[in-house]
Amino acid sequence: MTTGLRRDLGTIESYATLLGILIGAGIFKVTGEAWRLTGPSVILGYVVLAPAVLATSAAYSVFLSTPLGREPGGEYTNISRTFRGFRLAFIGAWLKIISYTGALAYLAGAFADYARRLVAVDPTLLAVASLVFFYAIHVAGVRWFGRLQVWMCIILGVSLLVLIGPGLFALHREYYKPFFTHGLGGFVASLPPLFFAYAGFESLAQTAGEVSDSTRRLPRVFVRGISATLLIYFLISLVGLGALAPNRLVVSTAPMAEAASAYLSVGGAAIVTIGALMALTTSVNATMLVPSRIAIVLAEDRLAPRWIGAVSPRTGTPVAGLTLTLGGALALLLTNRIALALDVAVYALVLLYLLHSVALLLLPRRNPDLFAQVTVTTPLWLQRMLATISILFMVALLTQISLPAVELLLFWSAIGVVLYIASRRVANRGAAGGIENAEEAKLA
């Protein structure tokens, strides 16, 4: 597959991409929202979810170590090549595009909430400006995306040190009581929204076509980056929930910044606020990348118009796909319909993680040729154990899905089915009936 993308990203940029998208809205925004469901046991929730995420990352590490790890859209190609069919993979890719577009609008809004602490500007204008700015960065080239991501992560790292270090000496034990404010039921109900903090780690796989030596580097980055994130999540939630009074936490739109103001000077609190902005902007930056890279492989498989996946020869970026991503996020943001896409985000990703873990179990039997090209050294028995753990966790999370979320998933899935049928008909007409043989060759 030749996409025209440029391999301008290395190991440092890969870590910055993973950490940037993980240490974003999940810890700086969702923590306060999940606190309403379970109280201080949010801290335990992050720990409980960590093994599931690490186990799920095994599936990504395995397929990224194969030739699929050299091109964007590896998630889609992994499902289609393992299950030897395009339907399920297309619906999964479509739901992911919707999820990331909604997440992009949500992150821009969260950025505006924090930015208002520093500048007196209309939040909608701030959110729109952030989307347009990062769109321009991506259009300019993936090298600019990588450089900006690294520098923002450096600033984020400094702010985390300022937040966590002094914060560990400013904790109030009484703020952790009662630990489970709504019992076991509330704790279980908090896990899906908390999962939003970890959800998105797989976006790193979409950079595979732009990372040099991606089949060797990316599997390592997954495991090490997620492990580091677990420790950061634990420390930030410990400090944030122990330093900010519950009556303030429940109404705050910027809980971590407000918690920092309780024990830091004005300058220190400003540094933490800037760090929170960096956490959110690194998430916006990485999220902006994903839908357009999925569109490239859908276009390659003739499941989307060629122009959607076209890569500019001048900048090496999929300008049309990026423009559609920006347009979708702006439409959701300006019409206040973010929930229409965001409410399916977590569960759509949970379904995708479930599919990838099932694919990991079935890969040796369903596609032995691809399995023979796996280069990670994880023993087969351990791969199967991790896949099983991931499947059990994902099924448990799906039991918490609400009826409105089910309805939205079915709604967007139905649209995906219609798009798939339409794309197949167009492809068949364009290839004069020869598309089936070409597709069979791809799946072989």
Side-chain angles (χ1 to χ4, degrees):
M1 183 188 299
T2 302
T3 64
L5 298 173
R6 298 174 184 173
R7 295 189 181 277
D8 289 334
L9 303 179
T11 300
I12 295 177
E13 291 85 358
S14 297
Y15 276 112
T17 299
L18 180 61
L19 294 174
I21 201 167
L22 285 177
I23 307 175
I27 191 65
F28 281 93
K29 188 75 174 176
V30 175
T31 296
E33 297 173 2
W35 181 90
R36 297 180 179 91
L37 295 171
T38 190
S41 54
V42 164
I43 301 169
L44 180 61
Y46 282 123
V47 176
V48 168
L49 288 171
V53 179
L54 285 170
T56 304
S57 70
Y60 290 83
S61 296
V62 168
F63 84 73
L64 283 172
S65 73
T66 72
L68 298 182
R70 301 192 186 113
E71 299 293 342
E75 293 174 291
Y76 159 80
T77 51
N78 180 43
I79 294 174
S80 63
R81 275 48 170 179
T82 299
F83 292 100
R84 296 185 180 276
F86 292 98
R87 297 177 184 85
L88 188 62
F90 178 88
I91 298 302
W94 165 248
L95 288 176
K96 181 160 185 175
I97 289 174
I98 296 301
S99 299
Y100 269 71
T101 304
L104 190 59
Y106 173 82
L107 290 166
F111 163 80
D113 286 339
Y114 270 88
R116 289 181 66 192
R117 298 178 64 88
L118 297 178
V119 293
V121 179
D122 179 74
T124 301
L125 180 60
L126 286 171
V128 170
S130 68
L131 290 174
V132 173
F133 172 77
F134 286 105
Y135 164 77
I137 292 295
H138 279 263
V139 169
V142 74
R143 178 177 296 178
W144 294 106
F145 153 79
R147 289 175 176 175
L148 182 61
Q149 190 79 352
V150 169
W151 280 108
M152 289 191 299
C153 278
I154 291 174
I155 297 173
L156 171 59
V158 172
S159 72
L160 290 178
L161 291 175
V162 173
L163 171 68
I164 295 171
L168 291 175
F169 300 95
L171 304 180
H172 299 270
R173 293 184 179 180
E174 62 271 20
Y175 291 172
Y176 299 124
K177 300 175 183 178
F179 196 62
F180 296 92
T181 55
H182 297 290
L184 181 60
F187 178 73
V188 173
S190 73
L191 294 181
L194 284 178
F195 189 74
F196 183 72
Y198 289 108
F201 74 88
E202 82 295 337
S203 63
L204 180 64
Q206 304 305 329
T207 66
E210 293 151 289
V211 174
S212 58
D213 198 11
S214 57
T215 57
R216 182 181 64 86
R217 293 184 180 188
L218 293 185
R220 298 177 182 177
V221 173
F222 264 116
V223 176
R224 296 172 182 174
I226 292 173
S227 299
T229 300
L230 166 60
L231 178 61
I232 294 171
Y233 277 2
F234 177 80
L235 292 173
I236 291 180
S237 58
L238 181 70
V239 169
L241 300 181
L244 185 62
N247 64 320
R248 293 301 310 155
L249 183 63
V250 74
V251 298
S252 178
T253 58
M256 294 304 167
E258 190 163 341
S261 65
Y263 59 86
L264 292 176
S265 64
V266 174
I271 291 174
V272 173
T273 300
I274 292 172
L277 291 175
M278 293 300 99
L280 292 163
T281 52
T282 53
S283 293
V284 172
N285 196 26
T287 302
M288 179 74 74
L289 177 143
V290 174
S292 61
R293 272 53 178 188
I294 297 176
I296 290 175
V297 292
L298 292 180
E300 286 283 341
D301 279 356
R302 301 191 180 188
L303 296 175
R306 288 282 187 177
W307 62 267
I308 291 180
V311 176
S312 168
R314 185 173 65 87
T315 65
T317 56
V319 177
L322 288 167
T323 303
L324 287 176
T325 301
L326 174 66
L330 287 175
L332 292 172
L333 181 68
L334 296 176
T335 60
N336 199 27
R337 292 291 187 271
I338 297 175
L340 186 63
L342 189 63
D343 284 353
V344 306
V346 172
Y347 290 108
L349 291 177
V350 168
L351 285 171
L352 278 173
Y353 297 155
L354 177 62
L355 281 175
H356 281 291
S357 295
V358 172
L360 180 59
L361 284 178
L362 298 180
L363 180 61
R365 181 165 53 90
R366 295 296 297 268
N367 196 334
D369 291 337
L370 181 61
F371 177 71
Q373 299 179 75
V374 172
T375 57
V376 293
T377 57
T378 308
L380 181 58
W381 67 267
L382 183 55
Q383 292 181 28
R384 290 172 172 169
M385 184 181 75
L386 293 173
T388 302
I389 292 173
S390 174
I391 290 170
L392 292 175
F393 266 88
M394 297 308 126
V395 170
L397 286 173
L398 288 173
T399 63
Q400 299 301 307
I401 191 170
S402 64
L403 180 59
V406 171
E407 292 172 344
L408 279 174
L409 274 174
L410 292 176
F411 168 75
W412 286 114
S413 296
I415 294 177
V417 169
V418 172
L419 291 175
Y420 175 79
I421 293 173
S423 65
R424 287 300 299 268
R425 288 180 177 176
V426 171
N428 283 331
R429 287 199 299 269
I435 185 66
E436 297 295 338
N437 291 332
E439 289 179 346
E440 289 176 3
K442 285 184 177 182
L443 295 174

